[in-house]
């Protein structure tokens, strides 16, 4: 398998909801695991159990002030473009710990500028911007794991 096939496999696994995939060939073995919660499917539910489960799931619905503020924040973010992770891996804001970050809040950048690195399977992939703009918010901590399609940056388009 080449790197493109592996990246496509990673994307497929992350989208499918499968928790683990293992492929083994003569001289090649790969296992891909996701951090998604396992999905359980129950074939039949007896009638006396089903009503007891529904109220328990619906019970915790306390309203808090933070919940009422969430839609307001979503409206404010609607004018921004979200740059998302193209793969599963570890997010890095700079090329090495002693180097400056590729972009910081307030920085303006053109299309094609490297904005971060995502390490996947010991390969460091430079992520280039597909839009030009100004960084409004960095949504991920440095050296933290990211999932496919996870928001990384909020950008004000230019």
């Amino acid at each position: 398998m080449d790197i493109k096939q592996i990246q496509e496999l990673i994307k497929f696994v992350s989208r499918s909801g499968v928790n683990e995939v293992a492929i083994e060939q003569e001289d090649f073995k790969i296992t891909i695991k996701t951090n998604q919660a396992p999905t359980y499917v129950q074939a039949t539910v007896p009638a006396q159990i089903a009503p007891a489960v529904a109220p328990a799931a619906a019970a915790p619905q306390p309203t808090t002030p933070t919940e009422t503020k969430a839609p307001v924040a979503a409206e404010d973010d609607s004018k921004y473009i979200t740059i998302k992770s193209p793969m599963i891996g570890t997010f890095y804001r700079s090329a090495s710990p002693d180097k400056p970050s590729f972009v910081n809040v307030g920085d303006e950048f053109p299309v094609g500028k490297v904005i971060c690195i995502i390490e996947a399977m010991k390969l460091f992939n430079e992520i280039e911007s597909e839009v030009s703009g100004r960084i409004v918010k960095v949504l991920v901590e440095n050296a933290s794991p990211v999932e496919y399609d996870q928001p990384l940056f909020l950008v004000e388009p230019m």
Side-chain angles (χ1 to χ4, degrees):
M1 288 185 106
D2 66 4
I3 190 67
K4 290 288 185 193
Q5 290 173 319
I6 293 171
Q7 288 176 340
E8 288 300 316
L9 181 60
I10 291 169
K11 288 178 187 177
F12 173 76
V13 170
S14 67
R15 279 189 233 136
S16 69
V18 174
N19 292 334
E20 182 176 341
V21 171
I23 297 175
E24 192 170 336
Q25 297 175 346
E26 289 178 20
D27 59 344
F28 182 81
K29 182 178 179 180
I30 184 171
T31 302
I32 301 171
K33 297 180 182 181
T34 64
N35 293 335
Q36 298 174 3
T39 305
Y40 298 102
V41 178
Q42 188 172 358
T44 59
V45 177
Q48 68 259 26
I49 295 177
V53 173
Q61 293 183 4
T63 57
T64 62
T66 56
E67 287 181 19
T68 57
K69 292 180 184 176
V72 175
E75 290 175 19
D76 293 339
D77 293 345
S78 64
K79 63 184 177 184
Y80 302 127
I81 296 172
T82 304
I83 297 178
K84 298 180 179 181
S85 175
M87 64 186 67
I88 297 172
T90 304
F91 171 84
Y92 294 105
R93 293 189 59 194
S94 62
S96 66
D98 58 334
K99 302 276 183 182
S101 296
F102 292 111
V103 290
N104 293 304
V105 174
D107 288 356
E108 294 181 1
F109 57 92
V111 173
K113 178 177 178 12
V114 175
I115 55 173
C116 67
I117 290 178
I118 297 182
E119 177 190 7
M121 298 174 45
K122 303 294 181 193
L123 293 175
F124 291 87
N125 302 285
E126 292 183 339
I127 307 303
E128 296 178 353
S129 174
E130 296 178 358
V131 297
S132 63
R134 183 179 60 82
I135 298 290
V136 175
K137 188 172 185 180
V138 179
L139 303 171
V140 180
E141 292 294 322
N142 191 46
S144 63
V146 293
E147 295 291 327
Y148 171 76
D149 217 25
Q150 178 178 341
L152 303 175
F153 300 97
L154 278 183
V155 176
E156 182 178 11
M158 296 178 66

